[in-house]
Amino acid sequence: MPTINDVARAAGVSPSTVSYVLSGRRPISAETRARVQAAIAELGFHPHAGARALASSKTNVLALVAPLRLDVNVPVIMQFATAVVTAARSFNHDVLLLTKDEGTAGLERVAHSTMVDALILMDIERDDVRLPAIRRLKQPSVLIGMPADHAGIACVDLDFEAAAGLALRHLAGHGHRRIGLIGPSPAVYRRQTTYADRFLAGFLTASAELELRTVTHPCEPGADGVRAALADLDTELPGMTALVVHNEETLRPLLDLLRAAGRRVPEDISIVAVCPRDVAMSMPVNLTSIDIPAHDVGTLAVETAMRLLDGRRVEFTRLLEPGLVERSSCREIPPSHR
């Protein structure tokens, strides 16, 4: 890989002159600039991000901040990351992935070193400690999630409140009146992660509006956590005929436990899952589901960041409308059994 010294020798100038041509910090004669640029082209020299930033105030790099905590579903996070990377490339941008859970420190370190043009953040909490830092940064930020105080910050996400209502209306339309919710892990609720809080709020609101009997439970990771959550739901809601599952990792152990107990899906219990489409269709039963639109959300986050970088107006809150796909995991309850 050619270096700045190689370019200097080929152009017959000093390395500092090449640096000034790249950075634009000092006037260089047109003839010298042309020689340096010809040497750069001939050698295939690519200045690093810092040099490009000096020349154009842009790095053509976006930061994706996605803390990989113990209780996050990494495959789903990677679907969002893939969408962000793919969309960024269409704008000639690369993506710097930050996965360490370090609060504001990582944001400020990356932003102050002028490594990135903009930031996209995931795993947003209701009172996210990163918000004050985000508001101080010179680079624009886009949140995948919606904190309580999101004034002046661009937020994109699935409308999780509407998704919960859609799931309950679908089941109620099939005659189900006793419905349990298996939610994310208790740690996700303790952090007040916004997707979980918004889904739970929508579930409770729709349950009251539809006059349903419902019980909600978080679910610890692993088969033991699923077994405990299901046992609690059965105890607290006798005669439960349906489940809404807002926890992708519980789906397979849940189906295994139900099968081992002789409870058939959908004959004995119906299920609506909130998960990526490929997850719903990879289960032993093709699950009726509300898709987690990682591709659409990630793409929209990048497009919003690009509009902010260009100084164009954006809609600061974009919540995508959920859609439900009927497959094989819901049955109609006869009127005589409702």
Side-chain angles (χ1 to χ4, degrees):
M1 183 178 295
T3 67
I4 195 169
N5 290 328
D6 297 327
V7 173
R9 280 193 295 270
V13 299
S14 67
S16 61
T17 298
V18 177
S19 178
Y20 294 143
V21 170
L22 292 171
S23 69
R25 285 192 167 186
R26 291 191 183 181
I28 302 294
S29 71
E31 178 187 354
T32 300
R33 181 179 296 276
R35 290 207 315 273
V36 170
Q37 290 173 337
I40 288 172
E42 181 181 350
L43 295 173
F45 174 70
H46 296 287
H48 60 73
R52 291 198 304 270
L54 289 172
S56 66
S57 297
K58 293 182 67 176
T59 66
N60 284 71
V61 176
L62 303 178
L64 175 61
V65 184
L68 296 185
R69 301 182 172 105
L70 291 176
D71 50 30
V72 302
N73 189 322
V74 175
V76 175
I77 293 292
M78 288 302 103
Q79 289 192 16
F80 283 94
T82 299
V84 168
V85 169
T86 302
R89 288 311 307 152
S90 70
F91 289 96
N92 196 33
H93 274 64
D94 293 314
V95 175
L96 174 65
L97 181 59
L98 304 177
T99 61
K100 188 175 181 180
D101 184 10
E102 53 184 337
T104 62
L107 301 182
E108 294 177 338
R109 182 179 67 254
V110 170
H112 293 162
S113 63
T114 66
M115 295 172 64
V116 300
D117 295 332
L119 300 95
I120 297 172
L121 294 88
M122 297 185 63
D123 204 37
I124 305 302
E125 298 172 6
R126 183 184 184 279
D127 300 309
D128 204 296
V129 297
R130 298 171 293 182
L131 293 181
I134 289 169
R135 290 189 166 100
R136 290 195 302 268
L137 299 179
K138 64 179 181 180
Q139 293 95 333
S141 297
V142 180
L143 309 185
I144 297 180
M146 193 172 68
D149 178 14
H150 56 274
I153 299 177
C155 302
V156 301
D157 208 354
L158 174 67
D159 189 337
F160 279 98
E161 289 191 43
L166 179 60
L168 282 183
R169 285 194 299 275
H170 179 79
L171 290 168
H174 283 63
H176 295 275
R177 310 301 300 170
R178 294 168 177 258
I179 303 169
L181 169 64
I182 294 180
S185 73
V188 171
Y189 286 116
R190 285 195 297 269
R191 292 203 312 270
Q192 296 185 298
T193 308
T194 62
Y195 73 85
D197 277 6
R198 285 156 43 217
F199 191 91
L200 180 59
F203 186 92
L204 296 174
T205 297
S207 175
E209 291 174 352
L210 296 167
E211 299 181 333
L212 303 175
R213 291 195 62 183
T214 59
V215 173
T216 70
H217 264 285
C219 185
E220 294 281 5
D224 289 342
V226 178
R227 185 179 293 106
L230 184 60
D232 288 342
L233 288 170
D234 284 330
T235 299
E236 296 174 35
L237 191 62
M240 179 177 65
T241 62
L243 286 167
V244 175
V245 182
H246 185 209
N247 185 332
E248 303 90 355
E249 293 184 316
T250 68
L251 288 169
R252 189 169 293 276
L254 172 65
L255 292 171
D256 290 344
L257 286 167
L258 291 172
R259 183 176 63 251
R263 299 170 75 177
R264 300 163 299 166
V265 178
E267 291 84 358
D268 300 314
I269 190 161
S270 294
I271 295 176
V272 173
V274 183
C275 64
R277 184 179 294 107
D278 63 313
V279 173
M281 297 182 68
S282 68
M283 293 294 135
V285 178
N286 277 342
L287 297 175
T288 295
S289 70
I290 296 171
D291 186 31
I292 301 291
H295 173 79
D296 294 343
V297 172
T299 300
L300 180 57
V302 172
E303 291 173 349
T304 302
M306 292 299 109
R307 291 182 67 88
L308 290 169
L309 284 170
D310 291 341
R312 291 180 287 167
R313 294 182 61 184
V314 300
E315 188 176 341
F316 274 91
T317 301
R318 292 285 305 277
L319 297 180
L320 302 186
E321 182 179 354
L324 183 145
V325 177
E326 177 80 73
R327 295 192 181 92
S328 307
S329 62
C330 291
R331 79 174 181 104
E332 185 87 18
I333 300 292
S336 59
H337 289 74
R338 297 180 185 178

